[in-house]
Amino acid sequence: MSLVVLAGPAGVGKGSIVRWILENQPGFTLSVSATTRDPRPGEVDGVHYHFVTVDKFQELIDKNQMLEWAQVHGKHFYGTPLSELARAEAEGKHLLLEIDLQGARQVKAQMPHALMIFINPPSFEELERRLRFRATETEEQIQTRLTTARTELAAAGEFDYQLTNLDLEACAREVVELVSKAERGS
Ligand code: 5GP
C-alpha cells in the first residue's frame, strides 16, 4: 500500500484527477479529511469530508489522531485522520491524500516513503480562469485562493514529482503510473 500525496493550488484539478482514479482504478481509495468548514451544496458528510466542529477538530489533534492538519486559506481547519491510513491498509488499497502544501510537508516529515506529487496548472492565467469558472467562491475568496496558489506554486520543487494538468485523463494516468513505478521500486 502506498501513501500518495497530491498537492497543487486550488483550481488545478486535483479533485477531478482523484475522481478519475477512483472511478477507473479499484486499487485506490481517497482519504476523507476532517474539516471545520461548512458543506457545499451536494457535499456529503463522511464521503467528501468529515464535517466537524472546531472543538471536535481540536480533540482529534489533542488525542494524536491526526496525521497532519493545517489552517487553509487562513480560515478553516483541514486534516487527515490517522484512521484513514488504517482503513486503506485494511482494504489493501493505495491511499490518495488531496491536501494543501502545509499538510504535504507534515506528511513528508512523518512518512518519508510517501509519494509526493505536485500538480501544476498549464499556466497561472489558466488557473485563474478555472477558479472563476467553478464559481463556488466569492471574488474575495478567489483572490485569497490566488494568493495561496502563488505560494504553493513556488514550492513545487519540494515534491518528488511534478505533473502538469493539461489533460485530466492523461494526468490521472500519470499519477497511477508513478505509483506503479514506485511500487516496483524503479
Ligand atoms: P476546499 O475547501 O476547496 O474543499 O479545500 C480547500 C483546500 O484544502 C484544498 O486545496 C485542499 O488541498 C485542502 N485540504 C483538503 N483536505 C485537507 C487535509 O486533510 N489536510 C490539509 N492540510 N489540507 C487539506
Side-chain angles (χ1 to χ4, degrees):
M1 174 213 146
S2 304
L3 193 61
V4 186
V5 173
L6 279 187
V12 80
K14 286 172 292 176
S16 307
I17 291 167
V18 165
R19 256 195 311 280
W20 188 92
I21 296 174
L22 294 178
E23 281 168 12
N24 294 279
Q25 300 284 331
F28 286 78
T29 185
L30 175 66
S31 167
V32 181
S33 300
T35 182
T36 59
R37 83 152 162 76
D38 292 332
R40 296 194 186 116
E43 285 183 335
V44 178
D45 187 33
V47 175
H48 299 94
Y49 282 105
H50 297 288
F51 295 99
V52 298
T53 61
V54 174
D55 283 352
K56 174 70 186 169
F57 197 92
Q58 186 63 51
E59 187 187 318
L60 288 168
I61 296 169
D62 292 345
K63 292 187 171 166
N64 293 320
Q65 289 173 355
M66 287 290 206
L67 169 62
E68 60 76 29
W69 63 272
Q71 190 174 18
V72 180
H73 306 309
K75 208 165 177 198
H76 301 294
F77 295 94
Y78 297 79
T80 305
L82 278 169
S83 55
E84 288 299 293
L85 270 70
R87 179 177 63 80
E89 198 132 10
E91 292 175 4
K93 294 188 174 183
H94 302 304
L95 185 65
L96 288 170
L97 267 60
E98 186 199 331
I99 60 178
D100 88 322
L101 176 63
Q102 308 165 74
R105 285 173 172 154
Q106 293 171 48
V107 173
K108 187 68 188 171
Q110 299 222 36
M111 315 281 257
H113 294 300
L115 192 63
M116 309 295 293
I117 302 176
F118 190 90
I119 312 290
N120 282 296
S123 66
F124 197 79
E125 291 69 32
E126 175 62 14
L127 183 73
E128 182 163 1
R129 197 188 65 75
R130 288 182 192 177
L131 265 178
R132 290 188 186 286
F133 183 72
R134 195 157 77 171
T136 48
E137 288 95 17
T138 63
E139 177 62 27
E140 193 190 340
Q141 287 170 327
I142 288 171
Q143 289 305 328
T144 306
R145 277 162 194 247
L146 288 171
T147 303
T148 309
R150 286 193 181 85
T151 311
E152 300 221 333
L153 289 168
E158 294 175 26
F159 287 72
D160 300 326
Y161 299 97
Q162 290 190 50
L163 302 176
T164 299
N165 186 12
L166 277 170
D167 174 83
L168 155 67
E169 185 173 334
C171 194
R173 284 185 191 281
E174 282 184 90
V175 171
V176 173
E177 186 54 31
L178 286 175
V179 176
S180 306
K181 264 195 197 157
E183 275 227 299
R184 292 195 300 268
S186 56

